[in-house]
Amino acid sequence: STGRYLVGLIGEGITASLTPAMHEAEAAELGLDYEYRTFDLIELGRPAGDVAAMLAEARAGGFAAMNITHPCKQLAAELVDELDTDAARLGAVNLVVYGEAGLVGYNTDWMGFRDALANGLPTASLEHVVQVGCGGAGAATAYALLAQGAERLELSDVDPARAEELASRMRTHFPRQAVETSPHDDLAAGIARASGVVHATPLGMLHHPGLAFDPDLLREDAWVADVVYRPLETELVRRSLERGHPVLDGGRMAVGQACASLRIITGTSPDRGRMEHHFRAL
Ligand code: NAD
């Protein structure tokens, strides 16, 4: 054993998060004394701007690290003393580790999607990927796609400024790859040409039912990845599977994110497959 780990999560609406169970179960398998607590801003009646104070309080309280989620990821990136290179490029931090020299910020969301792709869709063609949705999750998936060598990435969002902003940020970091934006009205044409499609809007969630595009438009050989993981079987996932496409549901990214966080916090090698199995049984 490497001692006792106290870890937390700060964000809004996280009381029902499956992350604590995922971390604690795998840590127990690894023989670690590990406790994971949630700090829901809404429940605590604290504004997002309190994340600085909450990070300081947690450090004083003996926490080893804190995961950060919506709406504090950008703010956290500005608060840490040291930023991991990828987190700096993304401008978002979802993991703060308390090091001897101060707070170190990481982003494991993009790692989660990278590992999800590599493990769940190992033969996926990244020749021409269309991504719908360019918010927080979309920044992580776009970064992972480009880091994995996507040749052409076409970004689309109902809010064109969001797609433009993400595209220009990504072009800076991946100048040799084609990062394009396409108007929301042209989405159907893009979907029909894509070798793979990433869905990164909230559509398909329990409170946001529906589809961001019609799966019947997909090229026969296209793969599909959804970031939505509640439910795991979104309408997009179900209809894409029915059509015979290789599909990655949002659970893989969620597990990948937790696995990477646990690895960085403890310096151990969590078993992704075992975490995946446990997550799907929750
Ligand atoms: P967000 O609000 O930051 O971004 C969503 C984006 O989608 C916005 O830019 C919005 O304009 C765009 N959008 C909405 N409807 C659209 C439509 N019909 N067509 C095109 N674009 C549209 O939200 P987020 O934090 O990125 O979360 C999105 C989803 O991803 C949520 O369901 C969230 O739970 C999920 N998520 C999953 C993981 C994971 O690990 N699997 C991680 C983070 C978020």
Side-chain angles (χ1 to χ4, degrees):
S1 169
T2 36
R4 174 172 165 71
Y5 292 93
L6 189 52
V7 178
L9 171 64
I10 299 173
E12 282 184 359
I14 54 167
T15 46
S17 170
L18 302 178
T19 300
M22 254 197 285
H23 276 247
E24 287 179 351
E26 182 58 19
E29 293 278 2
L30 295 167
L32 302 170
D33 182 0
Y34 193 102
E35 187 182 334
Y36 196 106
R37 297 185 195 155
T38 57
F39 296 88
D40 191 323
L41 293 167
I42 293 172
E43 197 166 83
L44 295 167
R46 298 183 76 159
D50 271 11
V51 66
M54 291 172 77
L55 281 169
E57 286 160 23
R59 184 179 205 185
F63 280 72
M66 299 295 281
N67 273 132
I68 309 291
T69 191
H70 179 80
C72 303
K73 290 182 191 181
Q74 279 78 23
L75 200 52
E78 289 163 21
L79 291 171
V80 293
D81 301 301
E82 196 183 312
L83 254 185
D84 159 78
T85 309
D86 300 302
R89 289 170 153 202
L90 274 160
V93 157
N94 78 324
L95 172 65
V96 173
V97 176
Y98 297 115
E100 274 172 23
L103 279 57
V104 188
Y106 298 89
N107 185 301
T108 63
D109 285 324
W110 82 274
M111 297 176 193
F113 189 71
R114 173 197 63 192
D115 297 344
L117 257 187
N119 293 294
L121 292 177
T123 61
S125 163
L126 301 182
E127 197 182 311
H128 179 192
V129 182
V130 170
Q131 178 178 304
V132 192
C134 299
T141 55
Y143 191 84
L145 288 163
L146 291 163
Q148 292 297 88
E151 292 163 51
R152 183 174 168 203
L153 176 61
E154 201 177 320
L155 299 172
S156 180
D157 196 292
V158 70
D159 177 353
R162 288 240 179 167
E164 287 300 338
E165 194 192 326
L166 181 59
S168 68
R169 192 151 25 107
M170 292 299 116
R171 282 181 200 122
T172 313
H173 304 308
F174 302 96
R176 284 175 206 84
Q177 288 151 273
V179 185
E180 300 159 8
T181 58
S182 58
H184 189 60
D185 293 344
D186 289 350
L187 182 58
I191 299 285
R193 287 192 302 262
S195 61
V197 177
V198 174
H199 171 254
T201 89
L203 283 174
M205 296 177 78
L206 234 47
H207 301 292
H208 300 271
L211 290 161
F213 61 88
D214 182 354
D216 288 339
L217 295 166
L218 289 163
R219 219 168 83 178
E220 201 179 331
D221 61 344
W223 53 270
V224 176
D226 200 343
V227 301
V228 174
Y229 62 100
R230 281 184 152 180
L232 284 170
E233 188 176 88
T234 57
E235 187 174 353
L236 174 62
V237 165
R238 183 177 54 77
R239 296 221 1 230
S240 302
L241 284 172
E242 278 167 12
R243 286 176 44 90
H245 298 282
V247 174
L248 200 66
D249 67 34
R252 288 242 187 202
M253 179 180 177
V255 171
Q257 177 272 117
C259 184
S261 293
L262 187 57
R263 176 174 54 75
I264 293 169
I265 295 165
T266 64
T268 60
S269 301
D271 183 328
R272 181 188 327 284
R274 190 163 60 193
M275 289 184 78
E276 179 91 33
H277 187 77
H278 182 249
F279 174 77
R280 290 184 193 271
L282 285 172

